[in-house]
Amino acid sequence: MTNLVSHTSPLDALTHALGEQLSKGKNKLEQDFREAYPILEEHIARKMRKKVLVDQFNAAYKHELNLIQFRKLLKEERARRHADGDATRCQSCGQLLVEAEENTAAETTEEDA
């Protein structure tokens, strides 16, 4: 897609080009995942299979994640939010959803299939 907007300076052109890159590719995927993260964690805490979450995320945001990529993004987003002090909590009991997930990780059998 060619942009026909004329820029008054090379700096304006660079700023515009970099801004467009933020809304494409991996950056777009990461932005979409961050937006959907609270809902995803809520459903993980309710024991929804991750495969279903991946499929629904892909359908909603028009991405093509597989389960391995989804888990990687989930782990990275949890770490990022934990480092920022922004861990997601269960709305009913207040427990950190990451802790709830870690407590049940040993029990994972068909959940991810």
Side-chain angles (χ1 to χ4, degrees), residues 8-100:
T8 58
S9 75
L11 182 58
D12 288 341
L14 176 63
T15 301
H16 180 75
L18 292 175
E20 283 185 348
Q21 286 300 312
L22 288 175
S23 63
K24 296 179 183 176
K26 185 177 180 186
N27 287 323
K28 175 75 167 125
L29 172 62
E30 290 172 355
Q31 288 173 354
D32 291 345
F33 196 86
R34 283 182 182 157
E35 178 180 81
Y37 175 79
I39 304 281
L40 295 171
E41 281 290 11
E42 181 180 325
H43 285 82
I44 289 169
R46 293 180 181 174
K47 309 289 186 207
M48 183 173 281
R49 292 174 49 216
K50 289 185 181 83
K51 176 68 173 128
V52 172
L53 292 172
V54 171
D55 292 343
Q56 294 300 318
F57 176 82
N58 285 337
Y61 286 96
K62 310 292 188 254
H63 290 294
E64 296 179 5
L65 280 180
N66 61 40
L67 192 55
I68 294 168
Q69 293 167 320
F70 180 84
R71 285 182 184 144
K72 181 179 182 238
L73 284 171
L74 187 63
K75 182 179 177 181
E76 289 171 356
E77 186 62 15
R78 284 174 173 167
R80 186 189 74 77
R81 288 182 183 237
H82 183 71
D84 290 347
D86 185 23
T88 305
R89 296 187 174 272
C90 175
Q91 293 180 349
S92 50
C93 71
Q95 182 181 15
L96 287 174
L97 291 177
V98 174
E99 289 176 3

